[in-house]
Amino acid sequence: MKYFLLFSAAVFLLSAISAFDKKLRIRRFTIKSRKLSDIPIKIMVISDMHMRADRQILAAVKSEKPDIIALCGDVLDERQSTDKKYEKMIGLLRELKSCAPIYSVCGNHDLRADCCEKYMSDIEKIGIVTLENRAEYYIKNGVSFCISGIADPMTRSRDKSFSVDDSIFIGGNSDYKLMLYHRATFSDKIAATFKPDLLLTGHVHGGQWRIPFWRGILSPERSFFPKYEGGMYRENETQIAVCRGSGSAPFLPRIFNPPEVMLLTLEKENTK
C-alpha cells in the first residue's frame, strides 16, 4: 500500500507538471505546391500572445531564422492590458522585426483593446506590415508570392459575412496565394470565399484544455471539440495552418496545452 501511494503521488505530480507546462513548442510542417519556387521559404506563425511577451518566442525566431514572421492576431488582450505589459510587448515585437519581416492581422482582442489605435500606430512605426483586406507581393532572392490578410468582421458585430472578395489578391491564378486571418473557426468559409493556397490562423488556443494524445476540448466561442483546434487541415485546394498560440485568457489556463509557434517550410512540389 505504501509503494502504491508513493507511485500514485509521483504520477499525480508528473501529470500536474505536464498539464501546466509553459515551455514553448515549435511545431514544424512542410507545405508543397507546384506554384512555389525551387528556393524553400520558412514562415514562423505566431498567434494569440494575449499580452504575454514570451522571450522564448524571440529565442525560437533567432534559432530557426525564418524568412517571414506571420502574426495572426490577439497580440493584445483588453482584459489585461496594462502600460507595463504593453511596453514589454512592443519591445518584443521590435526585436522580432529585427530578425525577419513581419506581416500581421488583428484579432478580436486587438480590436477591442482600448490601446488598439496606439498599437496599430506603434507597429507601423516598427515596420510591421498590417494586412487588413489587402495584399502585397513578398519577394526575396527571386522568390515571389502574394500575401494577404482579412479583417475580422465579427469583433464589433455578429456579422459573419466578408464584405471583400478575391479582388484583394494581386496577380493571377498561377501566383501562390498566402492569407492571414485570425479566427480558425471560420477556416472553411474563408477557404470557400477566397480560395487561398495557404491560410494561416489562430484564435482557438488548441482547444484551451486538451485531452492528452487526442484533441482540444473548448473553442473561444464556448463550443466543444472545435474542428480546427491546431495543426494542418485541408479544405478543397486550400491548406490551413492553425497555430495553438502562446498566451491565454487570465481566467482560463491552458491545460495539457503548452504554448507553441509553427514553423512552415514552403517548397516546390516536383511532379513527373
Side-chain angles (χ1 to χ4, degrees):
M1 186 66 178
K2 174 183 176 181
Y3 292 108
F4 174 76
L5 290 174
L6 287 173
F7 175 77
S8 299
V11 169
F12 176 80
L13 180 60
L14 289 172
S15 297
I17 292 171
S18 177
F20 297 99
D21 184 4
K22 293 186 178 181
K23 182 179 179 181
L24 184 76
R25 304 306 200 262
I26 303 174
R27 301 184 75 200
R28 295 174 172 82
F29 298 91
T30 299
I31 312 294
K32 293 181 179 290
S33 172
R34 294 188 300 273
K35 296 180 181 180
L36 291 167
S37 164
D38 291 326
I39 304 174
I41 293 291
K42 293 199 298 183
I43 301 176
M44 182 77 81
V45 184
I46 302 171
S47 75
D48 300 276
M49 299 168 79
H50 286 271
M51 298 299 287
R52 182 170 179 249
D54 192 342
R55 304 293 294 181
Q56 294 180 96
I57 295 176
L58 179 62
V61 168
K62 288 183 174 180
S63 172
E64 299 296 336
K65 297 180 173 60
D67 298 286
I68 298 172
I69 297 171
L71 201 57
C72 291
D74 280 3
V75 170
L76 306 179
D77 190 315
E78 78 270 24
R79 295 162 299 190
Q80 47 184 343
S81 181
T82 65
D83 290 344
K84 184 176 180 179
K85 284 186 175 182
Y86 179 83
E87 292 305 324
K88 285 182 68 175
M89 182 59 69
I90 292 299
L92 176 60
L93 293 178
R94 185 177 292 109
E95 290 185 85
L96 291 173
K97 174 60 179 64
S98 70
C99 299
I102 301 178
Y103 295 86
S104 75
V105 289
C106 283
N108 49 301
H109 282 276
D110 301 316
L111 294 169
R112 288 176 180 147
D114 291 339
C115 57
C116 177
E117 188 173 336
K118 175 176 171 56
Y119 169 70
M120 297 297 287
S121 174
D122 285 345
I123 63 173
E124 182 180 353
K125 291 173 185 175
I126 292 170
I128 294 174
V129 178
T130 56
L131 297 168
E132 301 285 317
N133 297 339
R134 70 182 193 88
E136 290 192 359
Y137 263 125
Y138 168 81
I139 302 174
K140 182 179 179 180
N141 297 334
V143 179
S144 67
F145 55 79
C146 176
I147 179 168
S148 64
I150 295 297
D152 180 20
M154 291 183 61
T155 295
R156 296 188 175 95
S157 75
R158 295 188 179 273
D159 178 19
K160 297 182 182 180
S161 65
F162 298 92
S163 58
V164 293
D165 56 34
D166 61 8
S167 64
I168 68 164
F169 286 124
I170 302 170
N173 292 332
S174 62
D175 291 300
Y176 190 79
K177 297 180 176 67
L178 187 153
M179 176 173 278
L180 280 64
Y181 177 66
H182 176 62
R183 293 182 194 249
T185 42
F186 294 98
S187 294
D188 50 354
K189 187 166 186 176
I190 290 286
T193 303
F194 300 100
K195 300 178 176 62
D197 296 291
L198 177 60
L199 176 63
L200 309 181
T201 67
H203 182 63
V204 182
H205 299 187
Q208 197 65 40
W209 303 331
R210 298 188 60 78
I211 298 173
F213 310 109
W214 192 35
R215 57 183 301 190
I217 296 174
L218 190 66
S219 82
E221 284 79 19
R222 304 299 185 264
S223 61
F224 289 100
F225 300 106
K227 178 180 179 181
Y228 306 104
E229 44 97 22
M232 294 299 304
Y233 304 84
R234 179 181 284 274
E235 293 288 347
N236 296 318
E237 297 304 311
T238 298
Q239 296 186 76
I240 302 165
V242 181
C243 182
R244 294 176 184 170
S246 59
S248 183
F251 55 86
L252 200 61
R254 300 166 73 107
I255 300 177
F256 291 111
N257 185 19
E260 75 163 37
V261 295
M262 299 178 82
L263 186 70
L264 308 180
T265 302
L266 277 56
E267 296 180 351
K268 186 175 183 63
E269 181 179 15
N270 295 315
T271 57
K272 295 183 180 180

